Amino acid sequence: MKQRHAMSAKGHRHQPRPVTPMIHSALDCVSRPVRLGRNVTLRNETNMIRCLLPVALAATVVAIPAAAQTAPPMPVGNAAAGAKVFVQCKTCHVTDKGVNRIGPSLAGVVGRKSGTVPGYKYSAANLKSGVVWTAPTLYKYLEAPMKFMPGTKMTFGGLKKPQDRADVIAFLKTKP
């Protein structure tokens, strides 16, 4: 079979360009030159950069989201400041033991298993969650309750400021 050559606009025949050889491993990149065209050949250092740069970029793309997922540590809370922030919680909650309102009593909430306050009718999501209200768990929950526990009866949008959440938790720790 006869090989066809490309024709230029002026009618001249052109030889097909050589195909760049496939690179099978990073070691191939460093150990042998890669021919890119008629008179262009990459040698060791340039070759290594050409081969390893995509690997480095891919590792960076994977590492950035992983780094973004690590949350900053919980700030140290101030109970007095937390009492002031807790005012917005008083619409539904109190810290008196055995007194439930729209929400359950928050007396002794830190360290308690969810769904265990006597006399309060919890949502199925809360009852089945198995959550223990530790300070870090409350910190995450108070940021966005409905996102943390889909199906919860608590329709509060959350405390967006990290210091406010830490302060409320410090306040709740003083209410056994």
Side-chain angles (χ1 to χ4, degrees):
M1 187 163 161
K2 197 172 185 180
Q3 185 177 5
R4 294 185 181 185
H5 297 285
M7 300 289 279
S8 70
K10 295 181 180 179
H12 300 287
R13 286 186 174 196
H14 291 285
Q15 294 291 328
R17 290 188 167 208
V19 177
T20 304
M22 289 185 63
I23 298 169
H24 299 299
S25 71
L27 186 59
D28 287 344
C29 292
V30 179
S31 63
R32 67 177 187 185
V34 175
R35 185 172 170 81
L36 295 179
R38 287 189 175 164
N39 297 318
V40 180
T41 302
L42 293 177
R43 300 253 179 234
N44 292 338
E45 292 83 10
T46 307
N47 222 6
M48 183 169 36
I49 291 169
R50 179 174 173 256
C51 293
L52 297 179
L53 186 61
V55 173
L57 289 173
T60 303
V61 168
V62 169
I64 289 173
Q69 291 176 0
T70 57
M74 185 171 109
V76 175
N78 177 313
K84 292 176 184 174
V85 177
F86 188 77
V87 169
Q88 58 189 305
C89 307
K90 285 185 174 183
T91 304
C92 300
H93 296 282
V94 293
T95 56
D96 302 328
K97 191 170 186 169
V99 179
N100 297 320
R101 290 201 176 156
I102 295 171
S105 169
L106 296 180
V109 69
V110 180
R112 183 173 71 207
K113 186 177 177 189
S114 67
T116 59
V117 171
Y120 185 76
K121 186 171 170 39
Y122 286 95
S123 66
N126 202 304
L127 288 170
K128 294 176 185 177
S129 71
V131 170
V132 175
W133 297 119
T134 62
T137 305
L138 280 166
Y139 182 75
K140 188 173 180 183
Y141 175 77
L142 289 172
E143 183 178 15
M146 292 178 285
K147 184 177 177 185
F148 180 91
M149 190 179 294
T152 184
K153 287 168 51 175
M154 186 161 156
T155 58
F156 178 64
L159 297 170
K160 301 307 176 201
K161 294 180 184 175
Q163 190 62 55
D164 286 351
R165 295 194 306 271
D167 291 344
V168 165
I169 293 165
F171 170 72
L172 290 172
K173 284 181 179 179
T174 67
K175 305 295 179 180

Coordinates of all heavy atoms in Angstrom, one line a residue, residues 41-85:
T41 N 15.1 17.6 20.6 CA 15.2 16.4 21.5 C 15.3 16.9 22.9 O 16.2 17.8 23.2 CB 16.4 15.5 21.1 OG1 16.3 15.1 19.8 CG2 16.4 14.3 22.0
L42 N 14.5 16.4 23.8 CA 14.6 16.8 25.2 C 15.6 15.8 25.9 O 15.6 14.6 25.7 CB 13.3 16.7 25.9 CG 12.2 17.7 25.5 CD1 10.9 17.4 26.2 CD2 12.7 19.1 25.8
R43 N 16.5 16.4 26.7 CA 17.4 15.6 27.4 C 17.0 15.5 28.9 O 16.0 16.0 29.3 CB 18.8 16.2 27.3 CG 19.2 16.2 25.8 CD 20.3 15.2 25.5 NE 20.6 15.3 24.1 CZ 20.6 14.3 23.3 NH1 20.2 13.1 23.7 NH2 20.9 14.4 22.0
N44 N 17.9 14.9 29.7 CA 17.6 14.6 31.1 C 16.8 15.6 32.0 O 15.7 15.3 32.4 CB 18.9 14.2 31.8 CG 19.5 12.9 31.3 OD1 18.7 12.1 30.7 ND2 20.7 12.7 31.4
E45 N 17.4 16.7 32.3 CA 16.7 17.6 33.2 C 15.4 18.1 32.7 O 14.4 18.1 33.4 CB 17.6 18.9 33.6 CG 18.9 18.5 34.3 CD 20.0 18.0 33.5 OE1 19.9 18.1 32.2 OE2 21.0 17.5 34.0
T46 N 15.4 18.6 31.5 CA 14.1 19.1 30.9 C 13.1 17.9 30.8 O 11.9 18.1 31.1 CB 14.4 19.6 29.5 OG1 15.4 20.6 29.6 CG2 13.1 20.3 28.9
N47 N 13.6 16.8 30.4 CA 12.8 15.6 30.3 C 12.1 15.2 31.7 O 10.9 14.9 31.7 CB 13.6 14.4 29.8 CG 12.9 13.6 28.8 OD1 11.9 14.0 28.4 ND2 13.6 12.5 28.4
M48 N 12.9 15.3 32.7 CA 12.4 14.9 34.0 C 11.3 15.9 34.5 O 10.3 15.5 35.0 CB 13.6 15.0 35.1 CG 13.1 14.5 36.4 SD 14.4 14.2 37.6 CE 15.6 15.4 37.3
I49 N 11.6 17.2 34.2 CA 10.6 18.2 34.6 C 9.3 18.0 33.8 O 8.2 18.0 34.3 CB 11.1 19.6 34.3 CG1 12.2 19.9 35.3 CG2 10.0 20.7 34.4 CD1 13.0 21.2 35.0
R50 N 9.4 17.7 32.5 CA 8.3 17.5 31.7 C 7.5 16.3 32.1 O 6.2 16.3 32.1 CB 8.7 17.2 30.2 CG 7.6 17.0 29.2 CD 8.2 16.9 27.8 NE 7.2 16.5 26.9 CZ 7.1 15.3 26.4 NH1 8.0 14.4 26.7 NH2 6.2 15.0 25.6
C51 N 8.1 15.2 32.6 CA 7.4 14.0 33.1 C 6.9 14.1 34.5 O 5.8 13.6 34.8 CB 8.4 12.8 33.0 SG 8.8 12.4 31.3
L52 N 7.6 14.8 35.4 CA 7.2 14.8 36.8 C 6.2 16.0 37.1 O 5.5 15.9 38.1 CB 8.4 14.9 37.7 CG 9.3 13.6 37.6 CD1 10.5 13.7 38.5 CD2 8.5 12.4 37.9
L53 N 6.2 17.0 36.3 CA 5.4 18.2 36.5 C 3.9 17.8 36.6 O 3.2 18.1 37.5 CB 5.6 19.3 35.5 CG 4.8 20.6 35.8 CD1 5.3 21.2 37.1 CD2 5.1 21.5 34.6
P54 N 3.4 17.0 35.7 CA 2.0 16.5 35.8 C 1.7 15.8 37.1 O 0.6 15.9 37.7 CB 1.7 15.7 34.6 CG 2.8 16.1 33.6 CD 4.0 16.5 34.4
V55 N 2.6 14.9 37.5 CA 2.5 14.2 38.8 C 2.4 15.1 39.9 O 1.6 15.0 40.8 CB 3.6 13.2 38.9 CG1 3.6 12.5 40.3 CG2 3.6 12.2 37.8
A56 N 3.3 16.1 40.0 CA 3.3 17.1 41.1 C 2.0 17.9 41.1 O 1.4 18.2 42.1 CB 4.5 18.0 40.9
L57 N 1.5 18.3 39.9 CA 0.3 19.0 39.8 C -0.9 18.2 40.3 O -1.8 18.7 41.0 CB 0.0 19.5 38.4 CG 0.9 20.7 37.9 CD1 0.7 20.9 36.5 CD2 0.7 21.9 38.8
A58 N -0.9 16.9 39.9 CA -2.0 16.1 40.4 C -2.0 15.9 41.9 O -3.0 15.9 42.5 CB -1.9 14.7 39.7
A59 N -0.8 15.7 42.5 CA -0.7 15.6 43.9 C -1.2 16.8 44.6 O -1.8 16.8 45.7 CB 0.7 15.3 44.3
T60 N -0.9 18.0 44.0 CA -1.4 19.3 44.6 C -2.9 19.4 44.6 O -3.5 19.8 45.6 CB -0.7 20.4 43.9 OG1 0.7 20.3 43.9 CG2 -1.1 21.8 44.5
V61 N -3.5 19.0 43.5 CA -4.9 19.0 43.3 C -5.6 18.1 44.3 O -6.6 18.5 44.9 CB -5.3 18.7 41.9 CG1 -6.8 18.5 41.8 CG2 -4.9 19.8 40.9
V62 N -5.0 17.0 44.6 CA -5.6 16.1 45.6 C -5.3 16.6 47.0 O -6.2 16.5 47.9 CB -4.9 14.7 45.5 CG1 -5.3 13.8 46.6 CG2 -5.4 14.1 44.1
A63 N -4.2 17.2 47.3 CA -3.8 17.6 48.6 C -4.6 18.9 49.1 O -4.9 19.0 50.3 CB -2.3 17.9 48.7
I64 N -4.9 19.8 48.2 CA -5.6 21.0 48.6 C -7.0 20.7 49.2 O -7.3 21.3 50.3 CB -5.7 22.0 47.4 CG1 -4.3 22.6 47.1 CG2 -6.7 23.1 47.6 CD1 -4.2 23.4 45.8
P65 N -7.9 19.9 48.6 CA -9.1 19.7 49.2 C -9.0 19.0 50.6 O -9.7 19.2 51.5 CB -9.9 18.8 48.3 CG -9.3 19.0 46.9 CD -7.8 19.4 47.2
A66 N -8.0 18.1 50.7 CA -7.8 17.4 52.0 C -7.4 18.4 53.1 O -7.8 18.3 54.2 CB -6.7 16.3 51.8
A67 N -6.5 19.4 52.7 CA -6.1 20.4 53.7 C -7.3 21.3 54.0 O -7.4 21.7 55.2 CB -5.0 21.2 53.1
A68 N -8.2 21.5 53.1 CA -9.3 22.4 53.3 C -10.3 21.8 54.3 O -11.1 22.4 55.0 CB -10.0 22.8 52.0
Q69 N -10.3 20.4 54.3 CA -11.3 19.7 55.2 C -10.9 19.7 56.7 O -11.7 19.5 57.5 CB -11.4 18.3 54.7 CG -12.1 18.2 53.4 CD -12.2 16.8 52.9 OE1 -11.7 15.9 53.5 NE2 -12.8 16.6 51.8
T70 N -9.6 20.0 57.0 CA -9.2 20.0 58.4 C -9.7 21.3 59.0 O -9.3 22.4 58.6 CB -7.7 19.8 58.5 OG1 -7.0 20.9 57.8 CG2 -7.2 18.5 58.0
A71 N -10.6 21.2 59.9 CA -11.2 22.4 60.6 C -10.2 23.0 61.6 O -9.4 22.2 62.2 CB -12.5 22.0 61.2
P72 N -10.2 24.3 61.8 CA -9.4 24.8 62.8 C -9.8 24.3 64.2 O -11.0 23.9 64.4 CB -9.6 26.3 62.7 CG -10.8 26.5 61.9 CD -11.0 25.3 61.1
P73 N -8.9 24.3 65.2 CA -9.3 23.8 66.5 C -10.4 24.7 67.2 O -10.5 25.9 66.8 CB -8.0 23.9 67.3 CG -7.2 24.9 66.6 CD -7.6 24.8 65.2
M74 N -11.2 24.1 68.1 CA -12.2 24.8 68.7 C -11.6 25.9 69.7 O -10.7 25.5 70.4 CB -13.0 23.8 69.6 CG -14.2 24.4 70.2 SD -15.3 23.1 70.9 CE -15.0 23.4 72.7
P75 N -12.1 27.1 69.6 CA -11.5 28.1 70.5 C -11.9 27.8 72.0 O -12.8 27.1 72.3 CB -12.2 29.4 70.0 CG -13.0 29.1 68.9 CD -13.1 27.6 68.7
V76 N -11.1 28.5 72.9 CA -11.4 28.3 74.3 C -12.7 29.2 74.6 O -12.8 30.3 74.2 CB -10.2 28.8 75.1 CG1 -10.6 28.8 76.6 CG2 -9.0 28.0 74.9
G77 N -13.7 28.6 75.2 CA -14.9 29.3 75.5 C -14.9 30.0 76.8 O -14.2 29.8 77.7
N78 N -15.8 31.0 76.8 CA -16.0 31.9 78.0 C -17.4 31.7 78.4 O -18.3 32.1 77.7 CB -15.6 33.3 77.6 CG -15.8 34.3 78.8 OD1 -16.9 34.3 79.4 ND2 -14.9 35.2 79.0
A79 N -17.6 31.2 79.6 CA -19.0 30.9 80.1 C -19.8 32.2 80.2 O -21.0 32.2 79.9 CB -18.9 30.2 81.4
A80 N -19.2 33.3 80.7 CA -20.0 34.5 80.8 C -20.5 35.0 79.5 O -21.6 35.5 79.3 CB -19.2 35.6 81.6
A81 N -19.6 35.0 78.5 CA -20.0 35.4 77.1 C -21.0 34.4 76.6 O -21.9 34.8 75.9 CB -18.8 35.5 76.2
G82 N -20.9 33.1 76.9 CA -21.8 32.1 76.5 C -23.2 32.3 77.0 O -24.2 32.1 76.3
A83 N -23.3 32.9 78.2 CA -24.6 33.2 78.8 C -25.4 34.2 78.0 O -26.6 34.1 77.8 CB -24.5 33.6 80.3
K84 N -24.6 35.2 77.5 CA -25.2 36.2 76.6 C -25.6 35.6 75.3 O -26.7 36.0 74.7 CB -24.2 37.4 76.4 CG -23.9 38.1 77.7 CD -22.9 39.2 77.5 CE -22.6 39.9 78.8 NZ -21.4 40.8 78.7
V85 N -24.8 34.8 74.7 CA -25.2 34.1 73.4 C -26.4 33.2 73.6 O -27.2 33.1 72.7 CB -24.0 33.4 72.8 CG1 -24.4 32.7 71.5 CG2 -22.8 34.3 72.6

